[in-house]
Amino acid sequence: MAKILVTGAAGFIGSHTTDYLLGEGHKVVGVDNFRTGRKENLATALRSPAFALQVKDVAAPGVLADLVAAERPDAIIHLAALVSVQESIANPELNFSLNVLASQLVAEAARLHGVGRVVFASSAAIYGDAAERPIRESAEKRPVSPYGAAKLASEDLLLGHGACYGFTVRCQRYFNVFGARQDPASPYSGVISIFARNYREGKSVTLYGDGRQTRDFIAVGDVARANALAATRPGLTSGAANICTGRATSLLDLAGIFAAAHPGVGAPVHRAARAGDILHSLGDPAAAAVALGFTARTGVAAGLAELISGQPVPVLP
Ligand code: UD1
């Protein structure tokens, strides 16, 4: 069993990753400053004797290195970030600090204290408006936001440090992640979190454009398992992989699933397509299967059933 330090542990992906690691019998040191993370997300973890919470800002110099020196984790899963693309556009300096400088501090902590492995929360946003579909890892990187640029810069920083100082780095390029605990607060929050809230409250949803745009939606439980594999699977080498399903779901299909589960809620309202919205985003999951032994197990329908009912839906082993 391993000891894993998870930054951003109180966030959406961080809390699910923490729960999954604890369920597998690992020890977890969770770090969060509650800027966007929430303590409620850690309700289950906080009941475990194998979990310790450190309320700290990993973007502040020295904080992470001191923590790593004291805790001596086998791996760091670095999920703390400025998570909103829109916020990165409004505040690019803060994006640089939280999404680039913090990654350098992770690399430095790993170097100074001999951490064997670093797992990094990258994003499909590094590809920007990539021409190919499905997108493979080799696709040209053309980020179109400070957020995407920072994720790409962080991948390079971590991979370069890992190659030079001898630790393994796994960059996880998440596609559209969905599931419980995702915050629907902003109009730019993940579409599934917004749809789930609206249907639950009996309010109709907005479809931007004709609704035929598609995304590669991946359940957060699968993402948590992919993170655990990247942190703990023996013998991994450094690299980057898409964390996706390889399956496309349209917004119309999504609204249809919600509508079927919520009879009586009004039909979706169509509005003009969002400026800059891309039509299709689909990842190629092959590299993650080879590098991590990871294949997504929860389809969109099962993941939505779980989200809507609040009950776990069994998945194939
Ligand atoms: C994601 C990012 C976004 C970023 C983009 C490019 C998230 C939550 N968003 O956007 O900030 O700019 O990648 O890297 O990760 N939609 C509706 N109705 C709604 C909300 C959304 O129809 O109420 C549509 C959107 O127009 C879009 C699709 O749903 O076509 C998905 O939207 P969203 O969940 O925001 O994800 P991305 O567009 O992939």
Side-chain angles (χ1 to χ4, degrees):
M1 291 300 113
K3 185 176 191 181
I4 319 280
L5 191 146
V6 178
T7 75
F12 167 48
I13 296 175
S15 63
H16 284 278
T17 300
T18 296
D19 288 347
Y20 186 89
L21 289 165
L22 293 169
E24 294 281 287
H26 299 293
K27 284 189 172 170
V28 177
V29 179
V31 193
D32 209 294
N33 65 351
F34 297 126
R35 181 179 174 271
T36 51
R38 288 182 309 213
K39 201 166 181 184
E40 309 87 272
N41 291 345
L42 292 171
T44 309
L46 284 164
R47 287 197 290 271
S48 166
F51 180 69
L53 175 64
Q54 295 278 346
V55 182
K56 288 187 162 51
D57 179 4
V58 295
V63 166
L64 196 63
D66 287 351
L67 202 54
V68 169
E71 296 286 350
R72 297 271 161 188
D74 300 294
I76 300 172
I77 303 183
H78 179 44
L79 307 176
L82 180 149
V83 295
S84 158
V85 175
Q86 298 308 316
E87 192 175 4
S88 85
I89 294 167
N91 196 343
E93 288 282 336
L94 185 65
N95 172 68
F96 183 75
S97 165
L98 302 189
N99 288 350
V100 183
L101 281 180
S103 305
Q104 173 63 28
L105 296 172
V106 170
E108 184 65 353
R111 175 182 83 85
L112 286 174
H113 304 295
V115 180
R117 204 175 285 186
V118 173
V119 178
F120 172 61
S122 187
S123 166
I126 67 168
Y127 298 115
D129 226 342
E132 68 178 56
R133 197 168 8 125
I135 301 173
R136 284 170 301 169
E137 288 75 1
S138 56
E140 196 186 337
K141 316 299 179 296
R142 288 189 303 228
V144 292
S145 65
Y147 176 87
K151 290 291 182 184
L152 185 56
S154 287
E155 280 199 3
D156 287 343
L157 272 174
L158 287 163
L159 287 164
H161 282 68
C164 182
Y165 299 114
F167 54 90
T168 302
V169 175
R170 293 299 322 173
C171 300
Q172 311 269 81
R173 296 177 181 166
Y174 307 135
F175 277 64
N176 289 63
V177 186
F178 74 97
R181 305 177 191 157
Q182 190 172 28
D183 186 2
S186 130
Y188 296 101
S189 297
V191 63
I192 291 181
S193 69
I194 296 172
F195 279 18
R197 181 200 55 199
N198 280 28
Y199 275 100
R200 197 171 48 239
E201 295 175 354
K203 296 178 189 153
S204 54
V205 297
T206 303
L207 280 178
Y208 296 109
D210 63 7
R212 291 181 204 280
Q213 66 267 47
T214 62
R215 294 292 183 271
D216 186 330
F217 293 105
I218 181 163
V220 70
D222 276 327
V223 171
R225 183 166 50 85
N227 288 341
L229 281 167
T232 62
R233 196 171 196 232
L236 297 190
T237 52
S238 291
N242 294 336
I243 304 300
C244 62
T245 68
R247 273 171 260 140
T249 304
S250 75
L251 270 286
L252 284 172
D253 287 345
L254 210 58
I257 295 172
F258 276 102
H262 298 86
V265 176
V269 177
H270 284 265
R271 293 241 177 94
R274 278 178 171 171
D277 208 6
I278 58 170
L279 213 44
H280 300 292
S281 168
L282 180 67
D284 184 333
V290 173
L292 308 176
F294 170 74
T295 305
R297 292 178 185 157
T298 307
V300 169
L304 290 183
E306 187 167 322
L307 183 63
I308 291 166
S309 69
Q311 300 297 321
V313 172
V315 291
L316 298 172

